[in-house]
Amino acid sequence: MSNREVVVLSVGGVRFVTRASTLQQFPESRLARMLNDDDQEFKLVNGEFFVDRDGTLFSYIMDFLRTLQVSLPTDFSDYQRLQREAEFYGLYPLADLLSQEHLLKPRLEILEVRFSLHEMQAFFRIFGSCSSTVETLSEQITVFAGQQSGQSWNSPFPSQKPLVPLPLERPSHHDMVFQCGTDYSAGDQFVARYVSIKPDNRKLINGTNVLGLLLDTLLKDGFHLISTRTVSSEEKVECYSFERMKRPPGLTLRVRQTPGSPGAVQAKRSQAQKGK
């Protein structure tokens, strides 16, 4: 049996086709021993190995053997059952990873946008429960400033002088502050602040337009608007609250075999995409 390249398994009525080398990723596992007829739990029927186990959960076992990673859906909840299946197949590195359930479960992420208008200026403060998301968002937002003559709230983008990018204010790792609009300086001079939010290339000065683009950016990034409220009607402060289920950085775990030691493995947390 160990010489065959293609192996067919019927697990709980679900059919899987794979390479023998995939099942031999961990030589001490029952799946590897199965190919050598060393495990009577697996019956060969009409050229297929029959296994009386959960076929749905076995799909995650196969994904692990093919990629050497644990990648589970956001709504996955059967961690203990999958751990039990991994132990049944003798895949103890996988079982050990699944026992760290707190690393694998997605968590609820909250983001809050506060927006206020004062004459021809708009002020934004963004707070997020996940600092990496706030950091990623801050990298998308750029404020440009320049002193212009006779500029007003609705003036078009000025081309007289180059605009200077300004760093966003970061009171903490969890929030950022910026503003846009025009502020009277001296004589007929105005300090104009424009906001650009990637991947949009526009530079916007109108606070309402910036707010609309910001909210649209968050929605496209998987956030859901859960509430809007007026914090202060006198100061015209509005608050927009968002949430999304975020995969923690440890959701994808890589297991690699140590060179020169076929049965040994090392666990390594892979770096997730920033802000995801």
Side-chain angles (χ1 to χ4, degrees):
M1 289 300 172
S2 60
N3 294 326
R4 61 165 64 190
E5 291 187 13
V6 178
V7 180
V8 180
L9 302 94
S10 177
V11 184
V14 182
R15 195 168 182 264
F16 297 88
V17 181
T18 187
R19 295 178 179 272
S21 58
T22 300
L23 300 176
Q24 293 169 331
Q25 288 279 11
F26 300 91
E28 301 303 318
S29 71
R30 298 183 73 177
L31 290 170
R33 299 201 308 269
M34 171 190 74
L35 299 180
N36 298 318
D37 293 329
D38 289 342
D39 197 313
Q40 298 303 312
E41 184 73 30
F42 304 91
K43 305 295 183 181
L44 188 62
V45 181
N46 297 326
E48 299 183 6
F49 286 100
F50 174 76
V51 189
D52 189 17
R53 304 294 293 191
D54 190 303
T56 300
L57 293 179
F58 189 72
S59 65
Y60 299 115
I61 300 287
M62 284 304 307
D63 182 65
F64 169 74
L65 291 174
R66 288 166 174 154
T67 65
L68 296 183
Q69 294 182 351
V70 183
S71 299
L72 303 173
T74 304
D75 59 351
F76 186 82
S77 58
D78 289 334
Y79 295 95
Q80 292 184 350
R81 290 183 59 211
L82 184 56
Q83 181 182 352
R84 187 170 65 239
E85 293 300 293
E87 292 172 346
F88 170 81
Y89 292 108
L91 296 170
Y92 297 108
L94 174 58
D96 290 342
L97 298 179
L98 291 168
S99 68
Q100 303 178 65
E101 187 176 329
H102 64 285
L103 296 178
L104 302 174
K105 282 187 174 180
R107 65 180 185 271
L108 184 65
E109 181 180 1
I110 302 296
L111 196 73
E112 183 179 276
V113 177
R114 290 201 174 200
F115 170 68
S116 61
L117 282 172
H118 298 284
E119 297 181 351
M120 292 189 297
Q121 297 184 78
F123 299 86
F124 294 83
R125 182 159 192 158
I126 302 175
F127 172 84
S129 60
C130 180
S131 60
S132 62
T133 297
V134 177
E135 179 66 28
T136 300
L137 187 59
S138 69
E139 294 173 356
Q140 294 178 251
I141 300 174
T142 305
V143 177
F144 296 89
Q147 195 172 58
Q148 306 297 328
S149 299
Q151 295 298 318
S152 65
W153 179 271
N154 293 313
S155 295
F157 172 71
S159 58
Q160 299 173 354
K161 300 178 182 179
L163 295 176
V164 179
L166 299 176
L168 301 182
E169 293 183 44
R170 296 294 306 276
S172 75
H173 293 296
H174 289 273
D175 58 350
M176 72 178 86
V177 178
F178 62 92
Q179 68 183 86
C180 63
T182 56
D183 184 23
Y184 180 75
S185 178
D188 63 345
Q189 296 292 312
F190 286 83
V191 175
R193 288 185 176 85
Y194 296 79
V195 173
S196 178
I197 304 177
K198 296 177 182 179
D200 193 289
N201 293 320
R202 292 173 296 169
K203 293 181 175 65
L204 304 174
I205 194 171
N206 185 297
T208 302
N209 293 341
V210 173
L211 176 65
L213 178 58
L214 176 60
L215 300 186
D216 185 58
T217 300
L218 295 175
L219 292 173
K220 289 180 179 178
D221 202 28
F223 281 97
H224 303 280
L225 181 63
I226 56 174
S227 69
T228 60
R229 69 182 190 276
T230 300
V231 178
S232 172
S233 57
E234 295 180 357
E235 298 180 4
K236 298 181 180 179
V237 180
E238 299 175 352
C239 180
Y240 299 80
S241 298
F242 294 83
E243 68 176 27
R244 72 175 176 183
M245 294 303 295
K246 183 178 184 298
R247 289 184 174 186
L251 182 61
T252 300
L253 297 168
R254 181 179 295 278
V255 176
R256 62 187 181 190
Q257 293 178 329
T258 305
S261 180
V265 295
Q266 292 180 337
K268 177 183 178 182
R269 293 176 64 176
S270 66
Q271 183 176 6
Q273 293 182 350
K274 296 184 71 176
K276 301 294 181 186

